[in-house]
Amino acid sequence: MTSTTDLPTGDPVPSSAPPAPAAKPRPFPLRELLAATPSNVDAFLAHLQRCMATPTGIDTVLLFVCYSSRLTSAVLTSLVQPALQRSAARLIALAASLPPSATLLFSAKDLPSNGVALVLELAKRLKALSSLTSEARTFLRLWGLLGMYFWARRLILKWRQPKQEDSSSDKFETTIAWSQLTACIIFQALENGYYLASKGVLGWAPATQGKAARWSARFWGSFVGLELLRLAYESSKRGRRSRADKFAGGKTVAVVEREEREWADNWRKTVVRNLAWAPLTVHWSLEQGLVSEMAVGALASIPSVLQIRDLWRNTAA
């Protein structure tokens, strides 16, 4: 027979046992936290230094700072926008109700509150930080053409190697690689040109600078499209592998499963990053843009978060 204490109920069930004494709450370990703060800060700074020990790491950190601050700035601005609109509507209604010869005096209560002003000031500072880090990334990419030279050299050396049996797939991958390299070279050359011209190094007119900026974004967009095509082809090619290919070299089932998980995880993250960049390349390639400031920050924050997570994990002590 089922006892009453076994039945599901929302009410407390009386018990014959005396109630257990309430546990004495532990005080908040403030002293322990303060004592551990220096070592925690030291560990964080040491980890950050490892993240920024390479040019790629520096760019990843700047990317995260750039678009997290840009998104936060856009969110803060949108939060105080209704208060600003209400204040503006109230002032317009007040001005419209007065005769033309009246003098309009404003008091502090007619203007946005100090809190709204502080939020707007913070949003302004964060947007300035985003612009600064974006320019720093552009400056660091001035030497990007050097890396593309070595990218082209690797492709040439690979092309000179003996061809494999599956020459059709090799030819397709080579075509995509050369197309991506061409798009990146044009993108980087145009970006370098309009950036240097904006600083007075080159004599391009402002209209030429704007046109170069838009065309550089279009060639970046073509690279993103080719990368998505390459990823789709890579997934299809990997799915057609035979069991002998998977277990080549005497691999165990555990090793194969681990490799599959790692490949799938990296593949998904690469797809997500490029899908996030795709609409932004279209946005920056148009004179009037395509999406809002908040959408730019939100979309660009996706690859920035993915990359900073991988960088933080890979540089763990």
Side-chain angles (χ1 to χ4, degrees):
M1 181 177 179
T2 305
S3 66
T4 56
T5 56
D6 296 327
L7 298 176
T9 175
D11 300 323
V13 178
S15 174
S16 58
K24 185 179 180 180
R26 293 183 58 189
F28 186 73
L30 179 60
R31 181 177 299 177
E32 289 82 354
L33 290 175
L34 290 176
T37 296
S39 60
N40 291 337
V41 172
D42 181 78
F44 172 79
L45 293 177
H47 199 165
L48 181 61
Q49 192 276 336
R50 292 194 299 273
C51 288
M52 303 185 71
T54 62
T56 301
I58 293 173
D59 183 72
T60 299
V61 173
L62 291 177
L63 175 69
F64 177 75
V65 173
C66 175
Y67 289 108
S68 60
S69 58
R70 187 167 183 170
L71 175 61
T72 306
S73 173
V75 170
L76 291 176
T77 302
S78 68
L79 289 176
V80 299
Q81 201 71 32
L84 294 175
Q85 291 174 350
R86 286 193 300 269
S87 297
R90 187 164 57 247
L91 294 175
I92 292 173
L94 178 62
S97 64
L98 297 175
S101 59
T103 300
L104 192 61
L105 298 176
F106 297 111
S107 62
K109 65 179 182 179
D110 296 321
L111 301 175
S113 65
N114 291 334
V116 172
L118 288 175
V119 171
L120 285 175
E121 183 67 17
L122 177 58
K124 176 183 175 182
R125 302 300 180 188
L126 288 172
K127 189 170 184 179
L129 175 61
S130 175
S131 299
L132 177 63
T133 50
S134 177
E135 182 174 342
R137 295 184 66 232
T138 303
F139 177 80
L140 292 175
R141 284 197 300 267
L142 284 174
W143 293 269
L145 289 173
L146 291 176
M148 294 172 195
Y149 162 77
F150 291 101
W151 182 5
R153 192 177 70 171
R154 287 194 300 271
L155 289 178
I156 292 173
L157 292 176
K158 184 179 178 181
W159 176 69
R160 289 180 175 178
Q161 291 176 355
K163 301 298 185 293
Q164 299 177 354
E165 294 180 3
D166 190 3
S167 59
S168 59
S169 63
D170 183 74
K171 184 180 297 185
F172 184 79
E173 291 175 332
T174 302
T175 302
I176 291 181
W178 278 106
S179 300
Q180 287 182 309
L181 175 61
T182 303
C184 283
I185 289 175
I186 300 175
F187 153 74
Q188 193 60 68
L190 289 172
E191 184 186 69
N192 289 358
Y194 78 73
Y195 178 73
L196 293 174
S198 69
K199 300 301 179 182
V201 179
L202 299 180
W204 294 3
T208 305
Q209 296 175 31
K211 186 179 295 185
R214 291 190 295 273
W215 274 103
S216 69
R218 290 165 188 166
F219 278 100
W220 180 24
S222 65
F223 168 81
V224 170
L226 289 167
E227 181 67 3
L228 291 171
L229 178 62
R230 184 192 68 80
L231 289 167
Y233 177 77
E234 181 182 348
S235 177
S236 174
K237 182 180 178 181
R238 193 173 181 87
R240 296 194 303 267
R241 291 182 306 157
S242 64
R243 181 178 178 84
D245 293 333
K246 293 181 180 180
F247 290 88
K251 296 178 182 178
T252 63
V253 174
V255 171
V256 171
E257 290 179 347
R258 186 185 71 251
E259 289 180 348
E260 288 296 317
R261 284 194 303 270
E262 292 175 354
W263 178 87
D265 182 57
N266 291 329
W267 185 87
R268 281 193 296 268
K269 286 188 290 189
T270 307
V271 169
V272 171
R273 284 200 306 267
N274 283 278
L275 287 176
W277 285 127
L280 292 178
T281 61
V282 177
H283 169 76
W284 286 318
S285 68
L286 301 175
E287 189 170 0
Q288 301 299 326
L290 180 68
V291 297
S292 66
E293 184 73 9
M294 186 179 298
V296 171
L299 287 170
S301 292
I302 295 173
S304 72
V305 169
L306 291 175
Q307 289 177 223
I308 198 69
R309 284 179 59 190
D310 286 344
L311 177 65
W312 195 262
R313 182 169 51 249
N314 294 335
T315 53

